[in-house]
């Protein structure tokens, strides 16, 4: 019944038939932690978080040593921004999954979601000792080292990630972190391309254009920087800081009339 339920949900996306089969499994074996866990996961898929929480707690009551229940509780609490409870459940999951590298990686994902980057780095350093093949570990280390201000280390792992990644596995955030790491390492000529690529992949992040323009400013490519600011204005994504920085670009280009016009407009946006 559990396998049949899995087939209905994972292959046919039929939640009602899946839960019917999981309930049948539970009737045959009321102490089946796995059947009950599957019901909780169905509630999560339906975004019915209260029932998911109740079900996962029932799993723990059935078997307090059933590690996957703590993993699911940790994920659920993280979605609810109950960060301390999320972390404590993931720690319990990790304790019950001792030696399980996959479990440790799942814990790392939660630490990153909770923005606990130093703790994530510690776990990742242990993971990489036994698993050097998983490129997601390079990705995670690049992100975490950036967030903790260790830009030189972050750049090493970002480069490792891109060297191994197939194009279909690369995300917009991979390019954005790579670009920011390059910029922090004073490699602005390379940073622009990555930041602009990140925006092309995810146009909901207009701040990437501002960062790309600033990289161009730092290497004195003022004409190109001006193009980026104008693009942001055309897309109706510009903020007051963009007009201020565009005014400085015009100043460096010695286009005094446009300096006056742009900074005057900035002053109307920021009268204080």
């Amino acid at each position: 019944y559990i396998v049949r339920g899995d087939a209905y949900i994972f292959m046919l996306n039929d939640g009602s038939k899946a839960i019917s089969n999981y309930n049948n499994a539970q009737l045959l074996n009321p102490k089946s932690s796995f059947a009950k866990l599957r019901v909780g996961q169905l509630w999560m898929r339906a975004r019915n978080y209260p029932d998911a929480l109740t079900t996962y707690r029932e799993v723990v009551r059935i078997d307090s040593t059933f590690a996957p229940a703590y993993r699911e509780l940790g994920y659920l609490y993280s979605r609810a921004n109950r960060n301390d409870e999320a972390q404590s459940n993931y720690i319990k999951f990790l304790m019950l999954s001792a030696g399980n590298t996959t479990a440790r990686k799942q814990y790392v994902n939660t630490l990153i979601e909770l923005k606990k980057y130093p703790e994530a780095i510690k776990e990742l350093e242990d993971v990489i000792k036994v698993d050097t093949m998983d490129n997601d570990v390079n990705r995670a280390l690049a992100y975490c080292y950036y967030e903790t201000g260790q830009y030189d280390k972050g750049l090493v792992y970002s480069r490792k990630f891109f060297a191994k990644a197939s194009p279909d596995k690369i995300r917009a955030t991979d390019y954005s972190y790579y670009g920011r790491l390059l910029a922090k390492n004073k490699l602005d000529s390379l940073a622009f391309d990555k930041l602009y690529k990140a925006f092309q992949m995810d146009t909901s992040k207009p701040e990437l254009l501002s960062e790309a323009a600033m990289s161009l400013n730092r290497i004195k490519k003022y004409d190109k920087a001006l193009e980026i600011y104008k693009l942001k204005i055309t897309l109706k994504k510009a903020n007051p800081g963009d007009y201020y920085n565009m005014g400085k670009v015009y100043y460096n280009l010695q286009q005094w009339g446009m300096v006056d016009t742009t900074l005057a407009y900035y002053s109307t946006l920021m009268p204080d």
Side-chain angles (χ1 to χ4, degrees), residues 38-82:
R38 279 290 196 250
V39 173
Q41 290 172 326
L42 271 179
W43 289 131
M44 281 296 291
R45 285 171 71 99
R47 298 186 180 182
N48 184 339
Y49 302 128
D51 282 345
L53 179 60
T54 299
T55 305
Y56 291 147
R57 285 173 172 168
E58 289 173 2
V59 176
V60 172
R61 281 195 291 272
I62 291 171
D63 182 358
S64 62
T65 66
F66 188 60
Y70 296 100
R71 178 192 63 211
E72 300 298 334
L73 278 166
Y75 177 68
L76 177 54
Y77 281 127
S78 70
R79 294 292 298 270
N81 292 319
R82 294 165 64 172

Side-chain angles (χ1 to χ4, degrees), residues 235-253:
L235 296 172
K236 299 186 178 354
K237 302 285 188 181
N239 59 48
D242 292 319
Y243 285 98
Y244 176 75
N245 288 318
M246 189 165 67
K248 293 202 293 183
V249 170
Y250 279 125
Y251 182 91
N252 287 316
L253 291 170

Side-chain angles (χ1 to χ4, degrees), residues 188-250:
D188 287 290
S189 59
L190 301 174
F192 165 75
D193 288 334
K194 308 307 179 190
L195 292 166
Y196 190 67
K197 177 70 173 177
F199 174 74
Q200 288 178 312
M201 292 180 69
D202 185 0
T203 56
S204 70
K205 300 290 174 57
E207 66 273 12
L208 291 166
L209 286 177
S210 299
E211 294 176 56
M214 289 303 294
S215 280
L216 291 169
N217 279 337
R218 285 190 286 269
I219 57 175
K220 300 183 180 181
K221 290 192 174 182
Y222 303 122
D223 288 324
K224 184 67 176 176
L226 189 58
E227 287 179 25
I228 300 299
Y229 286 124
K230 286 180 177 179
L231 171 62
K232 212 174 172 200
I233 291 168
T234 301
L235 296 172
K236 299 186 178 354
K237 302 285 188 181
N239 59 48
D242 292 319
Y243 285 98
Y244 176 75
N245 288 318
M246 189 165 67
K248 293 202 293 183
V249 170
Y250 279 125

Side-chain angles (χ1 to χ4, degrees), residues 82-153:
R82 294 165 64 172
N83 296 346
D84 290 340
E85 290 165 290
Q87 189 168 6
S88 66
N89 275 280
Y90 260 101
I91 289 171
K92 182 76 170 178
F93 167 58
L94 207 58
M95 288 171 58
L96 293 169
S97 308
N100 186 329
T101 302
T102 300
R104 193 173 290 274
K105 290 175 187 176
Q106 291 171 335
Y107 178 46
V108 165
N109 288 338
T110 296
L111 289 173
I112 292 173
E113 286 180 12
L114 299 177
K115 302 186 187 304
K116 296 193 173 187
Y117 301 110
E119 293 96 325
I121 289 172
K122 183 177 180 299
E123 295 296 331
L124 286 163
E125 286 173 344
D126 288 337
V127 168
I128 210 165
K129 290 174 185 175
V130 296
D131 184 356
T132 59
M133 299 302 293
D134 188 349
N135 205 22
D136 284 338
V137 175
N138 293 323
R139 168 191 275 145
L141 280 167
Y143 289 16
C144 291
Y145 280 130
Y146 175 83
E147 296 293 349
T148 55
Q150 300 178 72
Y151 305 123
D152 53 340
K153 290 182 179 179

